[in-house]
Amino acid sequence: MHHTGIEGPKGVWWKPAHRTEKVWVAVAFGWCMVLFAMMPFWHLRGGQNPTGIRHRVEPEAFRQRTEEFIEAYRVGEEENLPVVEPPPGSHVYLMGRMWAWTPILRLQTNATYTLHLSSVDVNHGFNLYPFNVNFQVVPGYDYGLEITPTEAGDYRIVCNEFCGVGHHLMVGKVVVVDGGASAEAEGGSDVNRAVEAASVVPSTPSPSPPTPSGGDR
Ligand code: CUA
């Protein structure tokens, strides 16, 4: 029989469900529960979600703090961006703004820094190329990660959160130079594992990453 939108088909939903449909609903529901349980489990076990210190911060205050940081440790300039070389152990500020990461950081291997990430306008995404390390950079929050670069290199920070017409131009830079002294890099943290996992992906060229060794301090 032919049906139109005005004259709908005869409904059957009040009839008892067929056995296969019940089985299907049960399987789907069970699988939903498995996935639901995986979220907290994998947060704790999987090492994909590094824990850092997180504070609320006014975007303007973060911008000022970044400026102070730049003034204190500035060593040069590159492509209109200040190049900053903070001493080992210091607090490092990286500001996301449409459409740049400020400043360019020079860090040393085997030194530990606390990297503060925030945005002063919209959401940005911190992606450390070529590694699979991703953070949301959200205005109003200061995300502090303890990092220990383990290998010298020239790394890029790619914004992976669409943030306007200049999004594709928002590429920052981190240079890691040999620090000489070999303070033992703490292994086993969440980000270490994420970074190690990323660097064994076959298609990834593998210089080793600056390794954030996050903790929940
Ligand atoms: Cu910042 Cu996309």
Side-chain angles (χ1 to χ4, degrees):
M1 189 183 161
H2 186 78
H3 293 290
T4 67
I6 298 167
E7 186 199 344
K10 191 165 154 29
V12 292
W13 54 86
W14 56 83
K15 293 184 179 167
H18 189 267
R19 199 180 67 86
T20 51
E21 190 172 356
K22 289 180 183 165
V23 169
W24 170 242
V25 169
V27 168
F29 180 77
W31 186 240
C32 285
M33 291 297 107
V34 169
L35 294 179
F36 181 65
M38 279 304 283
M39 286 191 280
F41 172 73
W42 206 245
H43 175 80
L44 298 169
R45 182 73 191 78
Q48 288 191 337
N49 304 81
T51 43
I53 31 171
R54 214 169 320 189
H55 293 293
R56 276 191 165 280
V57 66
E58 286 300 317
E60 178 54 24
F62 190 85
R63 193 192 62 75
Q64 275 181 18
R65 188 66 193 85
T66 306
E67 296 298 332
E68 286 165 22
F69 164 73
I70 291 169
E71 283 316 304
Y73 304 121
R74 183 185 193 122
V75 292
E77 190 167 306
E78 213 179 295
E79 290 160 25
N80 292 324
L81 286 171
V83 180
V84 174
E85 187 166 2
S90 60
H91 286 259
V92 173
Y93 291 80
L94 184 67
M95 173 174 71
R97 179 165 52 178
M98 290 187 275
W99 293 279
W101 296 101
T102 311
I104 293 172
L105 297 172
R106 273 171 68 94
L107 305 177
Q108 295 178 14
T109 55
N110 301 316
T112 299
Y113 305 86
T114 305
L115 174 63
H116 294 264
L117 291 170
S118 192
S119 162
V120 294
D121 40 44
V122 299
N123 268 30
H124 297 285
F126 174 94
N127 175 211
L128 189 64
Y129 182 82
F131 306 105
N132 186 18
V133 177
N134 296 284
F135 298 102
Q136 285 273 336
V137 180
V138 182
Y141 289 91
D142 174 348
Y143 196 15
L145 289 165
E146 204 167 89
I147 60 164
T148 307
T150 54
E151 200 160 311
D154 196 335
Y155 305 97
R156 291 294 179 278
I157 305 161
V158 178
C159 181
N160 61 3
E161 189 73 53
F162 182 73
C163 56
V165 295
H167 164 68
H168 62 292
L169 300 172
M170 190 168 168
V171 180
K173 191 170 168 183
V174 178
V175 180
V176 177
V177 297
D178 266 318
S182 59
E184 179 71 0
E186 299 159 44
S189 81
D190 296 329
V191 188
N192 277 330
R193 283 197 296 271
V195 167
E196 279 157 21
S199 56
V200 296
V201 172
S203 63
T204 310
S206 28
S208 285
T211 301
S213 69
D216 42 6
R217 279 147 283 183

